[in-house]
Amino acid sequence: MVQLQGLGRVLCHPLTLAVVSLAGVFAAGRAEHEWLSVPFSLALVAALAGLLFLASGRLAFSVYLAWMGIAFVTVVSAIKFRLKGFSLHFYDTVFVSRDPEVYRFLLGSYLHLIAPVIIALGLGIGAAVLLFRIDRKIGWPVSARVLVMAALVVLVPLTFPAEASKDRYFYYMQGRHMSAFFVSLLDLHNLVVESGFEKRLQAVAPQPPFADTVDCGDRADLPDVFFVLSESQSDPGYFPQVGNGAGFLQRFAPGAGTPHQMQVETFGGGTWITNLSLMTGLSATDFGWRSPYLTITLQDKGRRSLAGGAGALRISDCRDDADGLFVRQ
C-alpha cells in the first residue's frame, strides 16, 4: 500500500504530467503524419481533460484519462486505415456496428488485432480506476473549473484544420488517425437534415429503353455476363432507409437481360481495388496496407484472369485509367 501511494505521488506530480503530455505531443505528430492538424488533436485532448476535470475535480486523473481515451480512438483508427485505407468514421458506429454479420466477420478474420486492443482497453480502465482513487481532489470551486473547461473547449473550433473544412472525404484517406473520427462528427447533420433526394426520385419520369440498333458483331462471340460498375451511383432500392427507392432502376431497365446485384468486399475506397478483386479473384484485404498499391505490385504477376483467360495480367495505375485496371492477353 505504501509503494502504491508512492507511485501515485510520482504519477500525479506536475513534472510527470508535463513529461507525459510532451511525449503525447510528439506521438500526435506521428499519428497525424503532419503537424498542421496536431494543434486540433491536442485541443481535443485538452477539451476532454477539461470536461473530466469539471466532473471529478482531479487534475492528474483527468489528464491521463483524456490521453488514454484519445489514444484508444487513435489506435482503432490506425488499424482500420492500415486495412482499408480509410480512417475511423462516426458512420462506422451508426451503420456498420448494427450489423451482426460484421462482428462475426471481424472476430473470425481479425481476432489477432482485436484481442490486443481489448486487453489494452481493460488495462486502461483498470489504470483509470486506480488513478481516480490515488489522485486527490483540487480545492477549486465549480465555477473555476467551468471557466477552465470553457477556455479549453473554445480551442477546438479555433484549431480546426482547414483541409477538413474543404473536403472531408479526402481528409479521412490521409492517415489523420488522431483527429479523423472527431472531424467526422461534422457529418452528423447528414443523418438529421432532410434532403431533396426522395422528391427528385418521385419526379423522374419513366424512360423508354435504349434502341437496340448497335451492331456488336456475331452474338456467339459476345460475353454472357456484363459487369457494370457505377462509380458514383447505386440503385436506391438496395437501401431500405431510402423511401420510394424500390423500382427506381426499373424505369431504366434494359430491353434484354436481367440485371442482378453484385457484391464486392470493398466499399468507400479506391475503385481499382474492387476491379482488381473481381478480375483476379484475389482478396485485397489479404494484403493489408498494401491493398491500395496492388495494381502496381501485381503487374505481370498474374497468369489467368476473369476477362483475359490465359496470359499475363497487366494492371494500370489510376493515372492511366479512371478505374485503374485493365487486362490484356
Side-chain angles (χ1 to χ4, degrees):
M1 187 65 180
V2 176
Q3 294 178 345
L4 188 61
Q5 291 178 349
L7 177 62
R9 285 194 295 269
V10 173
L11 291 176
C12 297
H13 194 277
L15 181 60
T16 306
L17 290 177
V19 172
V20 170
S21 298
L22 183 61
V25 171
F26 287 99
R30 293 183 61 86
E32 290 291 287
H33 291 98
E34 71 171 24
W35 288 96
L36 290 178
S37 57
V38 169
F40 175 70
S41 302
L42 299 179
L44 292 171
V45 177
L48 180 57
L51 291 172
L52 293 170
F53 181 59
L54 172 63
S56 66
R58 292 169 169 83
L59 179 60
F61 164 79
S62 302
V63 173
Y64 283 122
L65 187 57
W67 277 114
M68 287 190 291
I70 300 297
F72 177 78
V73 174
T74 302
V75 170
V76 175
S77 183
I79 292 175
K80 182 192 173 186
F81 183 86
R82 185 179 180 87
L83 295 175
K84 302 294 295 182
F86 205 82
S87 296
L88 185 66
H89 195 286
F90 179 78
Y91 287 168
D92 295 330
T93 64
V94 176
F95 299 106
V96 180
S97 63
R98 294 188 297 182
D99 187 354
E101 292 293 334
V102 171
Y103 296 105
R104 282 192 282 269
F105 169 72
L106 292 177
L107 291 175
S109 303
Y110 300 105
L111 184 60
H112 63 289
L113 297 176
I114 297 175
V117 174
I118 294 178
I119 293 174
L121 178 61
L123 293 175
I125 293 175
V129 173
L130 184 62
L131 282 169
F132 184 84
R133 293 182 176 181
I134 293 176
D135 193 17
R136 295 181 179 180
K137 282 189 175 183
I138 297 179
W140 287 20
V142 175
S143 58
R145 300 204 300 268
V146 169
L147 291 176
V148 172
M149 181 206 66
L152 295 176
V153 170
V154 167
L155 295 176
V156 174
L158 292 179
T159 58
F160 190 82
E163 59 178 332
S165 302
K166 298 178 181 178
D167 195 338
R168 287 192 292 275
Y169 178 81
F170 291 101
Y171 188 85
Y172 308 134
M173 301 175 67
Q174 295 176 355
R176 306 289 187 262
H177 306 317
M178 195 169 180
S179 61
F181 175 80
F182 300 95
V183 169
S184 72
L185 295 178
L186 293 180
D187 295 332
L188 280 172
H189 75 279
N190 295 329
L191 301 178
V192 296
V193 176
E194 184 178 1
S195 65
F197 183 58
E198 292 189 22
K199 294 182 179 179
R200 293 198 298 271
L201 286 181
Q202 296 174 357
V204 174
Q207 302 293 320
F210 292 110
D212 189 10
T213 58
V214 178
D215 184 10
C216 297
D218 188 357
R219 289 185 175 272
D221 297 331
L222 296 180
D224 297 316
V225 179
F226 290 86
F227 289 94
V228 179
L229 189 151
S230 300
E231 178 95 31
S232 58
Q233 66 182 22
S234 182
D235 185 356
Y238 297 151
F239 307 96
Q241 298 88 346
V242 179
N244 302 315
F248 175 72
L249 282 193
Q250 278 68 19
R251 304 181 186 183
F252 304 91
T258 303
H260 299 278
Q261 182 180 4
M262 183 188 71
Q263 295 184 351
V264 294
E265 65 172 351
T266 58
F267 63 93
T271 307
W272 59 91
I273 301 178
T274 298
N275 282 347
L276 182 138
S277 297
L278 170 67
M279 303 295 282
T280 65
L282 298 175
S283 172
T285 306
D286 292 338
F287 294 85
W289 64 270
R290 298 180 180 86
S291 61
Y293 314 104
L294 292 179
T295 53
I296 299 174
T297 57
L298 290 184
Q299 184 169 334
D300 296 325
K301 293 183 172 62
R303 296 186 178 274
R304 289 186 176 273
S305 62
L306 178 64
L313 180 66
R314 302 222 177 246
I315 305 174
S316 73
D317 60 24
C318 57
R319 293 173 299 177
D320 300 327
D321 177 31
D323 289 335
L325 182 146
F326 60 89
V327 178
R328 297 174 180 169
Q329 282 290 92

Coordinates of all heavy atoms in Angstrom, one line a residue, residues 95-154:
F95 N -23.9 2.7 -38.9 CA -24.3 1.7 -39.9 C -23.6 0.3 -39.7 O -24.3 -0.7 -39.5 CB -24.0 2.2 -41.3 CG -24.7 3.5 -41.6 CD1 -24.0 4.7 -41.7 CD2 -26.0 3.5 -41.9 CE1 -24.6 5.9 -42.0 CE2 -26.7 4.7 -42.2 CZ -26.0 5.9 -42.2
V96 N -22.3 0.3 -39.7 CA -21.6 -1.0 -39.7 C -21.8 -1.7 -38.4 O -22.0 -2.9 -38.3 CB -20.1 -0.7 -39.9 CG1 -19.4 -2.1 -39.9 CG2 -19.9 0.0 -41.3
S97 N -21.8 -1.0 -37.2 CA -21.8 -1.6 -35.9 C -23.2 -2.3 -35.6 O -23.3 -3.1 -34.7 CB -21.5 -0.6 -34.8 OG -22.5 0.4 -34.8
R98 N -24.2 -2.0 -36.4 CA -25.5 -2.5 -36.2 C -25.8 -3.8 -36.9 O -26.8 -4.4 -36.8 CB -26.6 -1.5 -36.5 CG -26.6 -0.3 -35.7 CD -27.8 0.6 -35.9 NE -27.8 1.1 -37.3 CZ -28.8 2.0 -37.8 NH1 -29.8 2.3 -37.0 NH2 -28.7 2.4 -39.0
D99 N -24.8 -4.2 -37.7 CA -24.9 -5.5 -38.5 C -24.2 -6.6 -37.7 O -23.0 -6.6 -37.6 CB -24.3 -5.3 -39.9 CG -24.5 -6.5 -40.8 OD1 -25.1 -7.5 -40.3 OD2 -24.2 -6.4 -42.0
P100 N -24.9 -7.6 -37.2 CA -24.2 -8.7 -36.5 C -23.3 -9.5 -37.4 O -22.3 -10.1 -36.8 CB -25.4 -9.6 -36.0 CG -26.6 -9.2 -36.9 CD -26.4 -7.8 -37.3
E101 N -23.5 -9.5 -38.7 CA -22.6 -10.2 -39.6 C -21.2 -9.6 -39.5 O -20.2 -10.3 -39.7 CB -23.1 -10.2 -41.0 CG -24.3 -11.0 -41.2 CD -24.1 -12.5 -41.0 OE1 -22.9 -13.0 -41.2 OE2 -25.0 -13.3 -40.6
V102 N -21.1 -8.3 -39.3 CA -19.8 -7.6 -39.2 C -19.0 -8.1 -38.0 O -17.8 -8.3 -38.2 CB -20.1 -6.0 -39.1 CG1 -18.7 -5.3 -38.8 CG2 -20.7 -5.5 -40.3
Y103 N -19.6 -8.3 -36.9 CA -18.9 -8.8 -35.7 C -18.4 -10.2 -36.0 O -17.3 -10.6 -35.6 CB -19.8 -8.7 -34.5 CG -20.2 -7.4 -34.1 CD1 -21.5 -6.9 -34.4 CD2 -19.3 -6.5 -33.5 CE1 -21.9 -5.6 -34.0 CE2 -19.7 -5.2 -33.2 CZ -21.0 -4.8 -33.4 OH -21.3 -3.5 -33.1
R104 N -19.2 -11.1 -36.6 CA -18.7 -12.4 -36.9 C -17.6 -12.4 -37.8 O -16.6 -13.2 -37.7 CB -19.9 -13.2 -37.4 CG -20.9 -13.7 -36.4 CD -21.8 -14.8 -37.0 NE -22.9 -14.1 -37.8 CZ -24.0 -13.7 -37.3 NH1 -24.3 -13.9 -36.0 NH2 -25.0 -13.2 -38.0
F105 N -17.6 -11.5 -38.8 CA -16.5 -11.4 -39.8 C -15.3 -10.9 -39.1 O -14.2 -11.4 -39.3 CB -16.9 -10.5 -40.9 CG -15.8 -10.1 -41.8 CD1 -15.2 -11.0 -42.7 CD2 -15.3 -8.8 -41.8 CE1 -14.2 -10.6 -43.5 CE2 -14.2 -8.4 -42.6 CZ -13.7 -9.4 -43.5
L106 N -15.4 -9.8 -38.3 CA -14.2 -9.3 -37.6 C -13.6 -10.3 -36.6 O -12.4 -10.4 -36.6 CB -14.6 -8.0 -36.9 CG -15.0 -6.8 -37.8 CD1 -15.5 -5.6 -36.9 CD2 -13.9 -6.4 -38.7
L107 N -14.4 -10.9 -35.9 CA -13.9 -11.9 -34.9 C -13.2 -13.1 -35.6 O -12.3 -13.6 -35.1 CB -15.0 -12.3 -33.9 CG -15.5 -11.3 -32.9 CD1 -16.7 -11.8 -32.1 CD2 -14.4 -10.8 -32.0
G108 N -13.8 -13.5 -36.7 CA -13.3 -14.6 -37.4 C -12.0 -14.3 -38.2 O -11.2 -15.2 -38.4
S109 N -11.9 -13.1 -38.6 CA -10.7 -12.8 -39.5 C -9.7 -11.9 -38.8 O -8.5 -12.0 -39.2 CB -11.2 -12.0 -40.8 OG -12.2 -12.8 -41.4
Y110 N -10.0 -11.1 -37.8 CA -9.1 -10.2 -37.3 C -9.0 -10.3 -35.7 O -8.8 -9.3 -35.1 CB -9.5 -8.7 -37.7 CG -9.5 -8.5 -39.2 CD1 -10.7 -8.5 -39.9 CD2 -8.3 -8.4 -39.9 CE1 -10.7 -8.3 -41.2 CE2 -8.3 -8.2 -41.2 CZ -9.5 -8.2 -41.9 OH -9.5 -8.0 -43.3
L111 N -9.2 -11.4 -35.2 CA -9.1 -11.6 -33.8 C -7.7 -11.3 -33.2 O -7.6 -10.8 -32.1 CB -9.5 -13.0 -33.4 CG -9.5 -13.3 -31.9 CD1 -10.6 -12.4 -31.2 CD2 -9.9 -14.8 -31.6
H112 N -6.7 -11.5 -34.1 CA -5.3 -11.2 -33.6 C -5.1 -9.7 -33.5 O -4.2 -9.3 -32.8 CB -4.4 -11.8 -34.6 CG -4.5 -11.2 -36.0 ND1 -5.5 -11.4 -36.9 CD2 -3.6 -10.3 -36.7 CE1 -5.4 -10.8 -38.0 NE2 -4.2 -10.1 -37.9
L113 N -5.9 -8.9 -34.1 CA -5.9 -7.4 -33.9 C -6.8 -6.9 -32.9 O -6.5 -6.0 -32.1 CB -6.2 -6.7 -35.3 CG -5.2 -7.0 -36.4 CD1 -5.7 -6.3 -37.7 CD2 -3.8 -6.5 -36.1
I114 N -8.0 -7.6 -32.7 CA -9.0 -7.1 -31.8 C -8.6 -7.5 -30.4 O -8.7 -6.6 -29.4 CB -10.3 -7.8 -32.1 CG1 -10.8 -7.3 -33.5 CG2 -11.4 -7.4 -31.1 CD1 -12.1 -8.0 -34.0
A115 N -8.0 -8.6 -30.2 CA -7.7 -9.1 -28.8 C -6.7 -8.1 -28.1 O -6.9 -7.7 -26.9 CB -7.1 -10.5 -28.8
P116 N -5.6 -7.7 -28.7 CA -4.7 -6.8 -28.1 C -5.4 -5.4 -27.7 O -5.1 -4.8 -26.7 CB -3.5 -6.6 -29.1 CG -3.6 -7.8 -29.9 CD -5.0 -8.1 -30.0
V117 N -6.2 -5.0 -28.6 CA -6.9 -3.7 -28.3 C -7.9 -3.8 -27.1 O -7.9 -2.9 -26.3 CB -7.7 -3.2 -29.6 CG1 -8.6 -2.0 -29.3 CG2 -6.8 -2.9 -30.7
I118 N -8.6 -5.0 -27.0 CA -9.5 -5.2 -25.9 C -8.7 -5.3 -24.6 O -9.1 -4.8 -23.6 CB -10.3 -6.4 -26.1 CG1 -11.3 -6.2 -27.3 CG2 -11.1 -6.8 -24.9 CD1 -12.1 -7.4 -27.7
I119 N -7.5 -6.0 -24.7 CA -6.7 -6.1 -23.5 C -6.2 -4.8 -23.0 O -6.2 -4.4 -21.9 CB -5.5 -7.1 -23.8 CG1 -6.0 -8.5 -24.0 CG2 -4.5 -7.0 -22.6 CD1 -5.0 -9.5 -24.4
A120 N -5.7 -4.0 -24.0 CA -5.3 -2.6 -23.7 C -6.4 -1.8 -23.1 O -6.1 -1.0 -22.2 CB -4.7 -1.9 -25.0
L121 N -7.6 -1.9 -23.6 CA -8.7 -1.2 -23.1 C -9.0 -1.6 -21.6 O -9.2 -0.7 -20.8 CB -10.0 -1.4 -24.0 CG -11.3 -0.8 -23.5 CD1 -11.1 0.7 -23.5 CD2 -12.4 -1.2 -24.4
G122 N -8.9 -2.9 -21.4 CA -9.1 -3.3 -20.0 C -8.1 -2.8 -19.0 O -8.4 -2.4 -17.9
L123 N -6.8 -2.8 -19.5 CA -5.7 -2.3 -18.7 C -5.9 -0.8 -18.4 O -5.6 -0.3 -17.3 CB -4.4 -2.6 -19.3 CG -4.0 -4.1 -19.4 CD1 -2.7 -4.2 -20.2 CD2 -3.8 -4.7 -18.0
G124 N -6.4 -0.1 -19.5 CA -6.6 1.3 -19.3 C -7.7 1.7 -18.4 O -7.6 2.6 -17.6
I125 N -8.8 0.9 -18.4 CA -9.8 1.1 -17.4 C -9.4 0.8 -16.0 O -9.7 1.6 -15.1 CB -11.0 0.2 -17.8 CG1 -11.7 0.6 -19.1 CG2 -12.1 0.3 -16.7 CD1 -12.8 -0.3 -19.6
G126 N -8.6 -0.2 -15.8 CA -8.0 -0.5 -14.5 C -7.1 0.6 -14.0 O -7.2 1.0 -12.8
A127 N -6.3 1.1 -14.9 CA -5.4 2.2 -14.5 C -6.2 3.5 -14.2 O -5.8 4.2 -13.3 CB -4.4 2.5 -15.7
A128 N -7.2 3.7 -14.9 CA -8.1 4.9 -14.7 C -8.7 4.8 -13.3 O -8.8 5.8 -12.5 CB -9.1 5.1 -15.8
V129 N -9.2 3.6 -12.9 CA -9.8 3.4 -11.6 C -8.8 3.7 -10.5 O -9.1 4.3 -9.5 CB -10.5 2.0 -11.5 CG1 -10.9 1.8 -10.1 CG2 -11.6 1.9 -12.5
L130 N -7.6 3.1 -10.7 CA -6.5 3.3 -9.8 C -6.1 4.7 -9.6 O -5.9 5.2 -8.5 CB -5.3 2.4 -10.2 CG -4.1 2.4 -9.2 CD1 -4.5 1.8 -7.9 CD2 -3.0 1.6 -9.8
L131 N -6.0 5.5 -10.7 CA -5.7 6.9 -10.7 C -6.8 7.7 -10.0 O -6.5 8.6 -9.2 CB -5.4 7.4 -12.1 CG -4.1 7.1 -12.7 CD1 -4.1 7.5 -14.2 CD2 -3.0 7.8 -12.0
F132 N -8.0 7.3 -10.2 CA -9.1 8.0 -9.6 C -9.0 7.9 -8.0 O -9.3 8.9 -7.3 CB -10.4 7.5 -10.1 CG -11.6 8.2 -9.5 CD1 -12.1 9.4 -10.1 CD2 -12.3 7.8 -8.4 CE1 -13.2 10.1 -9.7 CE2 -13.4 8.4 -7.9 CZ -13.8 9.6 -8.6
R133 N -8.6 6.7 -7.6 CA -8.5 6.5 -6.1 C -7.3 7.2 -5.5 O -7.3 7.6 -4.4 CB -8.5 5.0 -5.8 CG -9.8 4.3 -6.2 CD -9.7 2.9 -5.8 NE -11.0 2.2 -6.0 CZ -11.2 0.9 -5.8 NH1 -10.2 0.1 -5.3 NH2 -12.4 0.4 -6.0
I134 N -6.2 7.2 -6.3 CA -5.0 7.8 -5.8 C -5.0 9.3 -5.8 O -4.6 10.0 -4.9 CB -3.8 7.3 -6.6 CG1 -3.6 5.8 -6.3 CG2 -2.5 8.0 -6.2 CD1 -2.5 5.1 -7.2
D135 N -5.4 9.9 -6.9 CA -5.4 11.3 -7.1 C -6.3 12.0 -6.2 O -7.5 11.6 -6.0 CB -5.7 11.7 -8.6 CG -5.4 13.1 -8.9 OD1 -4.6 13.7 -8.2 OD2 -5.9 13.6 -9.9
R136 N -5.9 13.1 -5.6 CA -6.7 13.8 -4.7 C -7.4 15.0 -5.4 O -6.9 15.6 -6.3 CB -5.9 14.4 -3.5 CG -5.3 13.3 -2.6 CD -4.5 13.9 -1.5 NE -4.0 12.9 -0.6 CZ -3.3 13.1 0.5 NH1 -3.0 14.4 0.8 NH2 -2.8 12.2 1.2
K137 N -8.6 15.4 -4.9 CA -9.3 16.5 -5.5 C -8.5 17.8 -5.2 O -8.0 18.0 -4.1 CB -10.7 16.6 -4.9 CG -11.7 15.6 -5.5 CD -13.1 15.9 -5.0 CE -14.1 15.0 -5.7 NZ -15.5 15.4 -5.3
I138 N -8.6 18.7 -6.2 CA -8.0 20.0 -6.1 C -9.2 20.9 -5.6 O -10.3 20.8 -6.1 CB -7.5 20.5 -7.4 CG1 -6.3 19.7 -7.8 CG2 -7.0 22.0 -7.2 CD1 -5.7 20.1 -9.1
G139 N -8.9 21.7 -4.6 CA -9.9 22.5 -4.0 C -10.4 23.7 -4.8 O -10.6 24.8 -4.3
W140 N -10.6 23.5 -6.1 CA -11.1 24.6 -7.0 C -12.6 24.5 -6.9 O -13.2 23.5 -7.0 CB -10.6 24.4 -8.4 CG -9.2 24.7 -8.6 CD1 -8.2 24.7 -7.6 CD2 -8.5 25.0 -9.8 NE1 -7.0 25.0 -8.1 CE2 -7.1 25.2 -9.5 CE3 -8.9 25.1 -11.1 CZ2 -6.2 25.5 -10.5 CZ3 -8.0 25.4 -12.1 CH2 -6.6 25.6 -11.8
P141 N -13.3 25.7 -6.9 CA -14.7 25.7 -6.9 C -15.2 25.3 -8.3 O -14.5 25.4 -9.3 CB -15.1 27.2 -6.6 CG -13.9 27.9 -7.0 CD -12.7 27.0 -6.7
V142 N -16.5 24.9 -8.4 CA -17.1 24.5 -9.7 C -17.0 25.6 -10.7 O -16.7 25.4 -11.9 CB -18.5 24.1 -9.4 CG1 -19.2 23.7 -10.8 CG2 -18.6 22.9 -8.5
S143 N -17.2 26.9 -10.3 CA -17.2 28.0 -11.2 C -15.8 28.1 -11.9 O -15.7 28.4 -13.1 CB -17.5 29.3 -10.5 OG -16.6 29.5 -9.4
A144 N -14.7 27.9 -11.1 CA -13.4 28.0 -11.7 C -13.2 26.8 -12.7 O -12.6 27.0 -13.8 CB -12.3 27.9 -10.6
R145 N -13.6 25.7 -12.3 CA -13.5 24.5 -13.3 C -14.3 24.7 -14.5 O -13.9 24.3 -15.6 CB -13.9 23.2 -12.5 CG -13.0 22.9 -11.3 CD -13.0 21.4 -11.0 NE -14.3 20.9 -10.7 CZ -14.9 20.8 -9.5 NH1 -14.3 21.3 -8.5 NH2 -16.1 20.3 -9.4
V146 N -15.4 25.3 -14.4 CA -16.2 25.6 -15.6 C -15.5 26.6 -16.5 O -15.5 26.4 -17.8 CB -17.6 26.2 -15.2 CG1 -18.3 26.8 -16.4 CG2 -18.5 25.2 -14.5
L147 N -14.9 27.6 -16.0 CA -14.1 28.6 -16.8 C -12.9 27.9 -17.5 O -12.7 28.1 -18.7 CB -13.6 29.7 -15.9 CG -14.7 30.7 -15.4 CD1 -14.0 31.7 -14.4 CD2 -15.4 31.4 -16.5
V148 N -12.2 27.0 -16.8 CA -11.1 26.2 -17.4 C -11.6 25.4 -18.5 O -11.1 25.3 -19.6 CB -10.4 25.4 -16.3 CG1 -9.4 24.4 -17.0 CG2 -9.7 26.2 -15.3
M149 N -12.7 24.7 -18.3 CA -13.3 23.8 -19.3 C -13.7 24.6 -20.5 O -13.4 24.3 -21.7 CB -14.5 23.0 -18.8 CG -15.1 22.1 -19.8 SD -16.9 21.8 -19.5 CE -17.6 23.4 -19.8
A150 N -14.4 25.8 -20.3 CA -14.8 26.6 -21.4 C -13.7 27.1 -22.3 O -13.7 27.1 -23.5 CB -15.7 27.8 -20.9
A151 N -12.6 27.5 -21.6 CA -11.4 28.0 -22.3 C -10.8 26.9 -23.1 O -10.3 27.2 -24.3 CB -10.4 28.6 -21.3
L152 N -10.8 25.7 -22.7 CA -10.2 24.6 -23.4 C -11.1 24.2 -24.6 O -10.6 23.8 -25.6 CB -9.9 23.4 -22.5 CG -8.8 23.7 -21.4 CD1 -8.7 22.5 -20.5 CD2 -7.5 24.0 -22.0
V153 N -12.4 24.2 -24.3 CA -13.3 23.7 -25.4 C -13.3 24.7 -26.6 O -13.4 24.3 -27.7 CB -14.7 23.6 -24.8 CG1 -15.8 23.4 -26.0 CG2 -14.8 22.4 -23.9
V154 N -13.1 26.0 -26.3 CA -13.0 27.0 -27.3 C -11.9 26.7 -28.3 O -11.9 27.1 -29.5 CB -12.9 28.4 -26.7 CG1 -12.5 29.5 -27.8 CG2 -14.2 28.8 -26.0

